[in-house]
Amino acid sequence: MPSPVSLNLNYVAPFVADHEWEQLCPAVSRAHHLLHARTGQGADFLGWMDVLEKGNQEEITRIEKTAARIREYADAFIVIGIGGSSLGAKAVISGLSHSFHSSLHMQKKNSPDVFFLGEHFGSDYTCELLEALEGKNVYVNVISKSGTTTEPAIAFRIVKTWMEHTYGKEEAKKRIIATTDREKGALKTMANAEGYETFVVPDDVGGRYSVLTPVGLLPIAAAGISIRDLIAGAEEARLDYTEERLNHNQAYQYAAFRYLMYQKGKQIEMLSVYEPKLADFGEWWKQLYGESEGKDGKGLFPASAVFTTDLHSMGQYIQEGRRHLFETVLFIGKSGNEIQIPRGDEDGLDFLTGEYLDAINKKAFQATLLAHTDGAVPNVILEMEQLDAFSMGALMYFFEKACAISGYLLGVNPFDQPGVESYKQNMYALLGKPGHEQRRIALEERLNEWR
């Protein structure tokens, strides 16, 4: 069967010569062997590559059973996590669910409203969410391997207190599900003590690669999306992208193109989508590439845009600003809904009467593609026939596989994130965490100099 994701390089020919592709083949082959022989940096975190192949059907069934219980009893489902513990699930849920699910009449819903918490310290957001939960049946999934990451840990303290006050301690326990380490950590200890149902964050899968593990699968299933279709799409992609040779592997071609653009001085990659439901997918993609490649003074800066909306804010810059970026355009061939343009000549657009909105979106994509490439902005295109769980699973695996190869081409470890700890240690010190006194004093002295 044809791949659900198709890479189109027709519009990059003016920017990359044939010999440049050929000269990169040996490096791509080396990266492939580092990855598949598990001899490269970060080899302890390659479980995402075969988690589908060795998939635990018993675990998938248990996830589906728990999700069915949540859908049956919950009006609202709170997912508490940050980074890889939330972005993947959010990308799939917003991409495949009704855009206005929370506003639908109850009779049209087959799943609870899903809300995300623990991604920041926003007081207004947190208080307003708790207010919105009043009178609703609420279930919670707290996701953290350690249980000590500050943002979700604080959010869970608040929500746990609210749940126990609202339902009583015993009933609250039945409504809280923890996705955490198999054996250790603060959240695992708490889950054991409280008797929460638990799912496991695999030891060999980093957060930003974890969407196809219980980390992402439980929230996605609770939202009423088929995780078996999602997994099947990812498995199809896994089989599609095992070929070592560059000219036979589109995920590797994407990785190679990114590397060539980087070598030519491009500093920014913009993921451009023409479907507003994919805005959160851009956030997942930004973490995947930003956290994987942004180290050792290297890496493209990942940005995202929703077209045509952002053409009316960023379009001028893309067209005629500094030539330091390129675009990866994600385009969906066919919408799940059809709507025709009605008659009405007051705006001078009556020539579009009877045309479908989806067809107009495609023309906008084509017009923008030609304008931006004419403006010396390289465009690589990823096309999917439709936006569904199968295609979404394939797309996510495509980007994960390409990211691993891209990181090795760049000469970095694509599976660690040492720089993330810097702000955490500073924050712990400024908050007065025991053992950080000297650091706190030094930081406060620096802050006083800037006041």
Side-chain angles (χ1 to χ4, degrees):
M1 68 185 299
S3 174
V5 180
S6 177
L7 182 72
N8 185 335
L9 294 169
N10 292 340
Y11 293 87
V12 305
F15 308 100
V16 182
D18 288 344
H19 71 268
E20 293 180 288
W21 291 107
E22 294 169 4
Q23 290 171 358
L24 202 53
C25 286
V28 170
S29 182
R30 285 193 298 273
H32 170 89
H33 284 285
L34 287 173
L35 188 64
H36 283 265
R38 301 182 182 235
T39 56
Q41 290 183 303
D44 291 340
F45 292 93
L46 297 181
W48 57 273
M49 288 181 61
D50 56 11
V51 71
L52 309 170
E53 186 179 21
K54 66 182 183 184
N56 186 335
Q57 292 302 312
E58 184 178 333
E59 182 178 60
I60 298 300
T61 300
R62 188 164 73 90
I63 290 172
E64 291 176 323
K65 184 178 179 180
T66 300
R69 174 165 57 91
I70 294 167
R71 291 198 305 274
E72 181 178 358
Y73 295 110
D75 302 318
F77 182 52
I78 314 303
V79 180
I80 299 176
I82 193 169
S85 295
S86 64
L87 288 173
K90 183 185 284 189
V92 176
I93 292 169
S94 61
L96 300 180
S97 300
H98 194 290
S99 298
F100 304 98
H101 185 275
S102 62
S103 298
L104 288 174
H105 191 280
M106 287 300 297
Q107 293 179 345
K108 291 190 174 183
K109 294 183 180 182
N110 64 356
S111 61
D113 296 326
V114 181
F115 302 99
F116 289 85
L117 192 63
E119 301 174 308
H120 48 67
F121 298 116
S123 296
D124 288 347
Y125 181 95
T126 304
C127 290
E128 289 164 7
L129 175 57
L130 295 177
E131 184 180 5
L133 297 178
E134 292 177 5
K136 297 182 183 297
N137 281 319
V138 180
Y139 278 66
V140 176
N141 181 203
V142 55
I143 308 169
S144 175
K145 189 165 180 61
S146 66
T148 58
T149 303
T150 313
E151 292 91 338
I154 289 176
F156 183 53
R157 277 197 180 200
I158 294 168
V159 170
K160 180 175 181 286
T161 300
W162 185 92
M163 293 286 287
E164 292 176 350
H165 174 78
T166 302
Y167 300 111
K169 192 172 179 65
E170 291 305 312
E171 178 62 22
K173 292 178 182 180
K174 301 174 185 177
R175 295 168 177 258
I176 296 173
I177 302 110
T179 306
T180 188
D181 191 87
R182 186 182 302 276
E183 297 178 347
K184 62 183 184 298
L187 181 55
K188 176 61 176 176
T189 300
M190 183 190 300
N192 288 344
E194 298 285 0
Y196 300 152
E197 181 176 8
T198 60
F199 291 91
V200 173
V201 179
D203 289 334
D204 58 354
V205 180
R208 58 188 177 274
Y209 290 85
S210 67
V211 63
L212 297 171
T213 74
V215 170
L217 293 178
L218 177 60
I220 291 166
I225 296 164
S226 171
I227 58 173
R228 290 188 186 269
D229 286 350
L230 189 77
I231 291 169
E235 173 63 9
E236 183 73 20
R238 185 187 70 82
L239 296 173
D240 284 344
Y241 307 130
T242 56
E243 171 60 54
E244 173 186 342
R245 290 170 295 175
L246 179 58
N247 61 340
H248 285 74
N249 191 321
Q250 290 195 336
Y252 291 7
Q253 290 167 20
Y254 171 63
F257 174 74
R258 298 180 74 255
Y259 181 73
L260 288 170
M261 290 296 98
Y262 180 75
Q263 293 295 100
K264 289 174 180 284
K266 299 300 183 185
Q267 299 172 327
I268 299 168
E269 178 181 12
M270 178 175 288
L271 182 72
S272 303
V273 301
Y274 282 79
E275 170 51 65
K277 291 160 73 84
L278 290 174
D280 284 328
F281 185 89
E283 298 303 308
W284 172 82
W285 175 87
K286 284 191 287 189
Q287 189 210 8
L288 179 64
Y289 280 86
E291 204 167 80
S292 296
E293 294 188 328
K295 54 200 72 166
D296 301 337
K298 301 176 183 178
L300 290 159
F301 182 85
S304 62
V306 178
F307 290 164
T308 60
T309 304
D310 289 333
L311 291 174
H312 295 263
S313 58
M314 294 296 294
Q316 173 62 40
Y317 186 92
I318 297 169
Q319 189 69 41
E320 296 183 346
R322 290 189 63 189
R323 302 297 79 185
H324 61 344
L325 63 84
F326 68 95
E327 289 179 84
T328 295
V329 183
L330 179 56
F331 190 76
I332 313 299
K334 185 178 181 181
S335 172
N337 295 285
E338 291 186 339
I339 183 169
Q340 284 183 294
I341 310 303
R343 182 174 297 280
D345 200 24
E346 299 86 356
D347 51 16
L349 296 175
D350 204 40
F351 68 97
L352 295 175
T353 298
E355 186 62 85
Y356 287 97
L357 196 60
D358 214 31
I360 295 174
N361 197 36
K362 186 171 185 178
K363 294 301 181 186
F365 153 63
Q366 293 170 343
T368 306
L369 170 67
L370 295 173
H372 287 182
T373 51
D374 286 347
V377 179
N379 270 235
V380 59
I381 307 164
L382 279 169
E383 299 175 275
M384 294 194 302
E385 183 176 343
Q386 58 191 7
L387 185 59
D388 57 20
F390 185 84
S391 299
M392 182 72 87
L395 182 66
M396 292 182 128
Y397 196 89
F398 171 93
F399 277 125
E400 288 177 349
K401 188 69 180 290
C403 186
I405 295 296
S406 186
Y408 283 151
L409 288 175
L410 196 60
V412 301
N413 180 350
F415 305 109
D416 69 352
Q417 54 281 339
V420 175
E421 294 301 315
S422 296
Y423 96 90
K424 292 182 182 180
Q425 295 305 316
N426 285 350
M427 183 173 64
Y428 290 150
L430 292 171
L431 288 171
K433 185 176 181 178
H436 290 66
E437 288 81 6
Q438 293 301 316
R439 190 184 187 104
R440 177 183 59 79
I441 293 169
L443 291 173
E444 288 181 345
E445 288 178 352
R446 289 173 58 192
L447 288 172
N448 288 332
E449 292 174 1
W450 295 339
R451 288 174 183 154

